[in-house]
Amino acid sequence: MSAVDTLTNTPLGGPTLPQERRMVTAIPGPRSQQLLARKAAAVAAGVGHTAPIEAVAAGGGVIVDADGNSLIDLGSGIAVTTLGNAHPKVVEAIQAQAAQFTHTCFMISPYESYVAVAEALNRVTPGDHAKKSALFNSGAEAVENAIKIARKHTKKQAVVAFDHGYHGRTNLTMALTAKAMPYKSGFGPFASEIYRAPLSYPYRDGLSGAAAAEKAISIIEKQVGADNLAAVIIEPIQGEGGFIVPADGFLPAIVEWCRANDVVFIADEIQTGFARTGSMFASEIFGIVPDLITTAKGIAGGMPLAAVTGRAEIMDAAHAGGLGGTYGGNPVACAAALAAIEAFETEGLIERAREIGAILTDRLTALQAGDPRIGDVRGHGAMIAAEFVDAATGKPDAALTAAVAKACIAEGVIVLTCGTYGNVIRFLPPLSIPDDLLHEGIDVVAAALAGA
Ligand code: PLZ
């Protein structure tokens, strides 16, 4: 049995939680139903949820709910708890820092951990040029600041994002995000000077990386003009848009064009960063060195922290006082990040992400061989997806995808969907998940697909 918090009588999270799928009630059980009723009454309707449970503990590869069900976690809270929930070193760092001080505001009285996180990010991000970093609270805030910095540096205004891109829900980042529902619909007007270029999507466009890049660059040159363009922002592997892996050569060609045209190339690695893809950063897979890189999610073991890291001369373009925010680089979040980054560097997690990727890819391609509704299996490391299509027409099948995901959750396996067409199931397990639990999770997905 796992340890229990004596005040609340709930199991303590972390890797010592029993690593099992355990169904005690139907989902949602009575306690979870009570919370969901309170949520409906008290929380704005726009804030949705995927799994109808009340989470009370999590760790390793499971999330335990208030009814005692133990669900297999194949989502990591959208690629955040890559280290595993309540990682002991992260918990220890948080507790120690919280007892010391919880906030001073780095812009008022600086503290060491913020500087140490900046140093660590400058060291672990791609490229051996001189780098600097600035810290923020959320991914969207990091993206906003990367754009501010690029504009100030280039003295230009336009920004290009890509089809299927996702960069956040704030006003500027909504403009960068491609998909209207649910992210943008009715929330305009959006920030100006944002333009969209076609992506490389090998499964659907059939283009080589070079051909897709030529198409994108031609549109950028004709419709925006390099003289007006401050930055190009792209996720090296798209997350919310459908785990789209661009064809080889696409990203290097875009980077090369940016370099030649005084355009800042920003890699949004908020979802792909920190060992998730079987490399510390996905840019490494494609052999590119971004000018700026945005990070968040996996950076701090679940604490809210985000960063922009990049070429020192670009990062220093903003005047003193031009960047900041009350909470950016909060000391508790920074302590968690230092513990998390140390774990990424010392616990063999890049290797572990590759092992998980091999298991997922083997199992899903075996399923695909016997089921034409799985149109594509793709991804890197512990970021793998299956795209579901109508077997006869090849068209996206969002209804099937939603039905499979729902059936999985009912059976105690949390899977997330994504994709512009809503027809992708993505697998983002914590790297702390044991192999047998991962296999059991995939078994449940396979059964749900067979039954759909
Ligand atoms: N850039 C590449 O994946 C966050 C969004 C979940 P925040 N993705 C999960 C949802 O529906 O809101 C994300 C991302 C990439 C930016 C962001 C934004 O990060 O921390 O959610 O602001």
Side-chain angles (χ1 to χ4, degrees), residues 78 137-141 143 166-169 183 235 239-240 268-272 294 296-297 426:
I78 326 188
N137 301 295
S138 67
E141 206 189 345
V143 170
Y166 182 92
H167 301 287
R169 293 175 181 268
Y183 306 121
E235 304 153 79
E240 306 305 307
D268 180 345
E269 293 236 23
I270 287 166
Q271 191 153 161
T272 49
T294 55
K297 289 191 185 283
R426 53 174 151 176

Side-chain angles (χ1 to χ4, degrees), residues 91-103 330-332 335:
V91 172
E92 197 188 327
I94 290 171
Q95 286 171 336
Q97 178 57 49
Q100 220 168 341
F101 63 95
T102 50
H103 174 84
N330 168 274
V332 182

Side-chain angles (χ1 to χ4, degrees), residues 27-89:
I27 302 253
R31 296 268 305 264
S32 294
Q33 284 179 33
Q34 277 174 22
L35 182 75
L36 296 175
R38 282 171 56 199
K39 174 180 183 266
V43 178
V47 184
H49 60 260
T50 300
I53 60 164
E54 176 186 345
V56 295
V62 299
I63 297 182
V64 175
D65 77 9
D67 297 290
N69 299 300
S70 174
L71 294 85
I72 299 176
D73 179 12
L74 299 184
S76 298
I78 326 188
V80 171
T81 54
T82 308
L83 288 179
N85 234 303
H87 185 286
K89 285 184 189 153

